[in-house]
Amino acid sequence: MKLPVYLDNSATTPMDPLVLEAMLPYFLENFGNASSRSHVYGWTAEEAVDIGRQQVAELIGAHPTEIVFTSGATESINLAIKGVFENSGGKGNHMITCVTEHQAVLDTCAWIEQNGGHVTYLPVSKEGLVDLNDLEKAITDRTLVISIMYANNETGTIQPIQEISAIARKHDVLFFSDATQAVGKIPVDVEKDGIDLLSISAHKLYGPKGIGALYVRRKNPKVVISSQIHGGRHEKNMRSGTLNVPGIVGFGKACELCQNELDGATTAIKYLRDKLESELLKLAGTYVNGSQENRLPHITNMSFDAVNGENLLLEICREVAASRGSACSSVTTRPSHVLKALGLSDSMALSSFRFSLGRFTTLSEIEESYRIITEIIEKHRIALKLSAASN
Ligand SMILES: Cc1ncc(COP(=O)(O)O)c(C=O)c1O
């Protein structure tokens, strides 16, 4: 068994070897530019992009023409939110989001505020869910878009997406969902879910880093956004720049594999996640954060009472690669804004860990993980008690 055991799949997933295999020819022999229309190198690349686009679209129930390739979810989020605002034509200047969004959404919202827009940040319940009455009440005749993530990256909590989209539709407001953690892990269907804009990232679903997509609805309603990167008018002039052909091939293959494995893999991963969780819950003073009913199958976020979170992380990380929150904020010692929004104290938030499993996680890795974590926490608590007694 390779140590440390990798339980940080929400930060990034290892690439599936089948994805790498599909990509390799597009670095060497099939190196063409997908926009080159005058020779076979370009046609081959374009064909590969078309297949990738189809595979990505299929995973989310979209039409291929609704997929705009980007460098990842952060760019997709910026394009969706800024793109809607800059295209508002004076129709409005307000948006609604929630306090537990990923930093990519929150920082883009801050940019909107600095540029003349208004943002309402909805609170969440102890379970991490937005209140639908609060949401509806926050809508004004100046509201352009509701931006609520599909599932949270720290706790895995899944928002009531179809209810949110019904409210958005009723008030003629667009609905953007950051589905970076959900796509490939649970069924996501932009039609059934009533989503108008949706962000995805390949490296969260066993594809390569540096490639992602924004879904942009083409009818009922047709969504029009302003481009944020100008140049050669690629991607229907929504995102200029030479297409990352190997990345798109890998992204497409990764989506195809997720689609084929969705049911089986979900059951297996959930079984292992529940096993890890129930074994760790045997330790006194241990809690699970966020909704346990509406939750992604591969994440558990757990708090451990009576420990020093910082020291614990340092000890655990030698043998189990987990994290204290999102990868973007794992270097900070500030408590997670997500856990604080659920009502956790600073010290409890700092003593919380996200364990996220993946397609390649095995039962023996999970058994080893809870054995190690239990041992470290028990040792750690005894040491803390001894030092408190001697002071
Ligand atoms: C919910 C969520 N949104 C957005 C992102 C950013 O994705 P990317 O790394 O593709 O820019 C992440 C990655 O951690 C995420 O978990």
Side-chain angles (χ1 to χ4, degrees), residues 300-317:
T300 177
N301 188 307
M302 303 184 76
S303 298
F304 301 97
D305 231 347
V307 296
N308 174 318
E310 196 62 31
N311 294 346
L312 195 60
L313 182 67
L314 288 175
E315 278 186 61
I316 287 180
C317 73

Side-chain angles (χ1 to χ4, degrees), residues 74-322:
T74 301
E75 188 191 327
S76 301
I77 291 164
N78 274 262
L79 176 57
I81 297 176
K82 294 177 185 173
V84 165
F85 264 78
E86 290 185 351
N87 197 63
S88 79
K91 186 180 161 241
N93 66 346
H94 175 239
M95 68 174 282
I96 302 167
T97 188
C98 92
V99 290
T100 51
E101 292 290 310
H102 189 271
Q103 211 56 45
V105 169
L106 295 176
D107 283 359
T108 307
C109 290
W111 185 92
I112 293 292
E113 290 177 301
Q114 284 151 18
N115 287 274
H118 297 290
V119 183
T120 301
Y121 297 89
L122 298 175
V124 293
S125 66
K126 234 174 70 219
E127 308 242 278
L129 297 165
V130 292
D131 181 304
L132 297 170
N133 290 323
D134 286 354
L135 171 66
E136 189 153 17
K137 273 194 243 141
I139 297 175
T140 73
D141 56 0
R142 304 285 291 157
T143 308
L144 296 170
V145 59
I146 294 170
S147 170
I148 301 285
M149 70 201 319
Y150 210 109
N152 188 268
N153 48 302
E154 295 191 30
T155 57
T157 301
I158 301 170
Q159 295 291 351
I161 292 299
Q162 295 187 2
E163 288 82 349
I164 295 171
S165 72
I167 293 172
R169 281 272 183 286
K170 182 173 150 196
H171 293 272
D172 200 16
V173 168
L174 293 177
F175 177 31
F176 161 57
S177 188
D178 172 16
T180 308
Q181 293 288 344
V183 172
K185 313 293 163 49
I186 53 170
V188 171
D189 186 306
V190 287
E191 287 305 328
K192 281 193 205 134
D193 292 337
I195 294 169
D196 299 312
L197 293 143
L198 173 135
S199 51
I200 327 175
S201 185
H203 77 98
K204 307 283 188 185
L205 43 82
Y206 313 96
K209 293 171 182 60
I211 183 80
L214 178 67
Y215 157 80
V216 183
R217 177 174 287 281
R218 69 183 168 141
K219 58 178 190 203
N220 306 320
K222 177 175 170 52
V223 177
V224 183
I225 52 172
S226 294
S227 157
Q228 299 301 307
I229 298 180
H230 308 279
R233 302 182 161 251
H234 304 79
E235 299 298 87
K236 301 223 242 64
N237 203 18
M238 282 186 263
R239 200 275 191 180
S240 289
T242 298
L243 289 176
N244 172 358
V245 179
I248 291 169
V249 169
F251 186 12
K253 184 70 188 174
C255 287
E256 182 192 86
L257 294 174
C258 282
Q259 177 128 25
N260 294 342
E261 293 192 5
L262 204 53
D263 292 342
T266 302
T267 315
I269 291 175
K270 185 176 176 306
Y271 170 78
L272 292 179
R273 189 273 313 269
D274 290 348
K275 178 94 187 136
L276 174 71
E277 194 173 271
S278 60
E279 289 294 331
L280 292 178
L281 280 171
K282 289 181 185 164
L283 281 161
T286 302
Y287 313 92
V288 177
N289 297 312
S291 170
Q292 286 176 56
E293 291 83 53
N294 303 306
R295 186 164 52 143
L296 293 175
H298 65 294
I299 299 181
T300 177
N301 188 307
M302 303 184 76
S303 298
F304 301 97
D305 231 347
V307 296
N308 174 318
E310 196 62 31
N311 294 346
L312 195 60
L313 182 67
L314 288 175
E315 278 186 61
I316 287 180
C317 73
R318 280 184 230 124
E319 313 205 48
V320 178

